[in-house]
Amino acid sequence: MPTMTCLMIVLCGCLAEVVFGDFEARQLKSHLLLNYDPGLRPVTDVTHQTTVEVGIDFRQVIEIDEKNQIMTSVVWLRQYWYDEALVWNSTNFWGISYINIPSNEVWLPDTVLYNSVGNDHNQLMTNGVINSAGYVTWMAPCVFRSSCNIDIYDVINTNRLCFCRHQY
């Protein structure tokens, strides 16, 4: 019987910690997003630049339509930037140094596939990960449909080269 009691106390302690952590994350999120406008570029001075680092991981080529010269692919779009409004002192917020916030609640860069076919970019709105210094990491899976110049009469060379151009 003593073993059972000890196990119940440990389990209850773990559950209390999870609920306790959730409360603090909500407090921090409320503090960060108070008077925050995700439609405005994240600078306190309009003369400051917002540098966005972009990376793309190609995961799969779904289809290459040679006749219509369209490539459909699945990618992970990675973007990193500094948001001056999302900075906090982790010692004032229970030592929390990272927080996940839904990407529709923070500023996102206007990154568009320049040679996209159509206007449906099929980009999922995942969480942004923000550290206490204000650096945001946003990774989103996307389905790209891009135009691709393919010489369909070149039957000897079966290698295809398609470029994905992005506009920022």
Side-chain angles (χ1 to χ4, degrees):
M1 193 63 129
T3 307
M4 180 83 113
T5 307
C6 182
L7 182 61
M8 286 179 57
I9 291 171
V10 169
L11 286 176
C12 291
C14 290
L15 292 175
E17 186 175 306
V18 170
V19 173
F20 187 67
D22 190 44
F23 168 79
E24 281 118 348
R26 282 190 217 180
Q27 292 292 103
L28 174 57
K29 181 182 172 190
S30 295
H31 169 77
L32 292 173
L33 298 181
L34 182 68
N35 299 319
Y36 184 88
D37 187 347
L40 298 176
R41 198 166 51 88
V43 292
T44 53
D45 183 347
V46 294
T47 63
H48 292 173
Q49 293 182 345
T50 302
T51 302
V52 178
E53 295 178 39
V54 178
I56 296 176
D57 288 330
F58 273 89
R59 306 307 287 171
Q60 179 182 11
V61 174
I62 296 173
E63 176 185 23
I64 295 180
D65 181 347
E66 291 182 354
K67 179 181 176 194
N68 295 309
Q69 299 190 355
I70 297 172
M71 178 179 70
T72 305
S73 56
V74 176
V75 302
W76 275 89
L77 185 62
R78 298 183 323 266
Q79 298 181 83
Y80 312 93
W81 67 92
Y82 173 67
D83 190 321
E84 295 178 16
L86 298 178
V87 176
W88 72 93
N89 185 340
S90 60
T91 58
N92 295 341
F93 290 94
W94 307 277
I96 298 173
S97 57
Y98 289 90
I99 188 167
N100 293 321
I101 296 181
S103 57
N104 64 334
E105 296 182 31
V106 297
W107 177 85
L108 295 177
D110 296 326
T111 307
V112 178
L113 182 63
Y114 186 72
N115 58 331
S116 177
V117 177
N119 58 2
D120 183 15
H121 302 289
N122 294 324
Q123 187 168 321
L124 294 177
M125 299 307 283
T126 58
N127 285 341
V129 180
I130 300 130
N131 71 16
S132 60
Y135 289 95
V136 181
T137 300
W138 183 49
M139 297 190 297
C142 306
V143 176
F144 282 167
R145 292 191 40 163
S146 56
S147 63
C148 185
N149 292 328
I150 301 172
D151 183 0
I152 60 174
Y153 299 108
D154 184 1
V155 292
I156 296 171
N157 184 6
T158 57
N159 293 332
R160 302 295 184 228
L161 182 62
C162 296
F163 293 97
C164 293
R165 295 183 202 101
H166 282 83
Q167 180 174 330
Y168 309 102

